[in-house]
Amino acid sequence: MNKVTVRICGQEYVVKGEEKEDYLRKVGKEVNHLINSIMERNKQIDTSSAAVLAALNSVDKAFKKDFEIEAIKKEEGSVYQKSEGLKEEIKLLEEALEKMQKENQVLSDKISTFRNADEKGRLSKEREIKRLETELRLTQDSAKEYRDENETLSKLNKELKFELQSYKYKVLELQKKLFDTQLTQTKDNKEKKEKNPILKEKLK
């Protein structure tokens, strides 16, 4: 456990914690800044009252960070659901595209067979070839539409994944800020109870 001495409102306090010494000093410096800011805005207030107000402000910030994290998590969940839905749709389109490609191959094989056949029944075969060519063209057009739609959905899915990752980073950042705020509040209250008998009596 690390231990550092910090100065808050002219008094020295010993702060202990598992965190690094630089971090503990940063916490003490922030608490000192909060209390001094309150006292500068209100010259009539005493140190213990300023400490209570600083603690209230810290708790308020912590609660608001909680609400913000929850809101981002809900939005993140919505993006995640959209992404999963697009994955399923892309899968169905890929299956349809694969089916179309197989049908195209079958039609191409039939056309080649008719073209290589004897002249007997040439006219009827030519009509069949035209019909098959028309059908082939239609299936190729459908396959192209599926391919274009699949590419569009894949691009949208990538954008949603990027957005989802951004939300995760935001949540992590807010959680860190929330932890810092709660730690500041906890250590401030603990040290004030130990070092300031007036505040200790008020907090009872």
Side-chain angles (χ1 to χ4, degrees), residues 35 38-39 42-53 198 202:
I35 296 176
I38 293 172
M39 295 182 72
N42 188 347
K43 301 296 184 180
Q44 307 299 322
I45 197 170
D46 57 22
T47 303
S48 60
S49 297
V52 171
L53 290 175
I198 298 175
K202 285 189 175 184

Side-chain angles (χ1 to χ4, degrees), residues 4-15 24-25 27-33 36 192:
V4 298
T5 300
V6 298
R7 180 173 290 275
I8 300 174
C9 296
Q11 296 186 35
E12 290 188 347
Y13 296 88
V14 177
V15 179
L24 296 176
R25 289 192 184 93
V27 171
K29 183 177 180 181
E30 180 63 19
V31 172
N32 183 58
H33 173 72
N36 283 334
K192 288 294 181 294

Side-chain angles (χ1 to χ4, degrees), residues 23 26-28 30-31 34 58 179-189:
Y23 178 81
K26 183 180 178 181
V27 171
E30 180 63 19
V31 172
L34 288 173
S58 296
F179 173 77
D180 290 346
T181 302
Q182 290 173 336
L183 182 63
T184 299
Q185 174 203 343
T186 301
K187 293 192 182 300
D188 181 36
N189 290 340

Side-chain angles (χ1 to χ4, degrees), residues 8-195:
I8 300 174
C9 296
Q11 296 186 35
E12 290 188 347
Y13 296 88
V14 177
V15 179
K16 299 178 182 179
E18 299 296 333
E19 296 79 8
K20 294 181 180 180
E21 292 183 3
D22 288 344
Y23 178 81
L24 296 176
R25 289 192 184 93
K26 183 180 178 181
V27 171
K29 183 177 180 181
E30 180 63 19
V31 172
N32 183 58
H33 173 72
L34 288 173
I35 296 176
N36 283 334
S37 295
I38 293 172
M39 295 182 72
E40 286 175 2
R41 292 195 299 268
N42 188 347
K43 301 296 184 180
Q44 307 299 322
I45 197 170
D46 57 22
T47 303
S48 60
S49 297
V52 171
L53 290 175
L56 289 172
N57 288 336
S58 296
V59 172
D60 177 59
K61 288 180 181 178
F63 283 160
K64 287 178 179 177
K65 286 288 187 298
D66 275 335
F67 295 147
E68 194 172 350
I69 288 173
E70 287 303 315
I72 289 179
K73 282 183 176 179
K74 287 180 180 178
E75 194 168 354
E76 174 187 329
S78 176
V79 172
Y80 178 77
Q81 290 174 356
K82 288 180 182 178
S83 179
E84 290 300 310
L86 285 176
K87 284 181 182 178
E88 185 63 26
E89 193 170 348
I90 288 171
K91 182 180 177 181
L92 293 174
L93 284 172
E94 287 174 346
E95 292 174 354
L97 179 59
E98 184 179 355
K99 183 179 178 181
M100 286 288 184
Q101 288 172 339
K102 288 180 179 178
E103 290 179 2
N104 285 347
Q105 187 60 47
V106 171
L107 290 171
S108 295
D109 293 341
K110 284 183 179 180
I111 291 172
S112 296
T113 300
F114 279 116
R115 280 177 175 166
N116 295 329
D118 294 335
E119 284 296 317
K120 186 179 180 180
R122 183 175 59 84
L123 292 177
S124 62
K125 288 178 180 178
E126 284 181 352
R127 286 195 295 269
E128 182 66 13
I129 288 173
K130 287 181 180 180
R131 186 187 68 78
L132 290 172
E133 286 177 339
T134 300
E135 189 175 344
L136 176 61
R137 186 173 63 255
L138 291 174
T139 56
Q140 286 175 338
D141 290 342
S142 297
K144 183 178 182 302
E145 290 178 2
Y146 278 122
R147 190 179 295 108
D148 292 343
E149 188 175 356
N150 189 38
E151 289 177 357
T152 300
L153 289 174
S154 296
K155 182 179 178 181
L156 179 59
N157 194 38
K158 288 180 181 179
E159 292 174 355
L160 286 173
K161 285 182 179 178
F162 178 78
E163 187 177 351
L164 181 62
Q165 190 65 32
S166 298
Y167 283 134
K168 288 181 179 179
Y169 287 140
K170 287 181 182 179
V171 169
L172 290 175
E173 183 181 352
L174 285 172
Q175 286 175 335
K176 183 179 183 302
K177 290 181 180 179
L178 177 60
F179 173 77
D180 290 346
T181 302
Q182 290 173 336
L183 182 63
T184 299
Q185 174 203 343
T186 301
K187 293 192 182 300
D188 181 36
N189 290 340
K190 183 178 178 182
E191 295 300 332
K192 288 294 181 294
K193 285 181 181 179
E194 294 175 354
K195 297 293 183 178

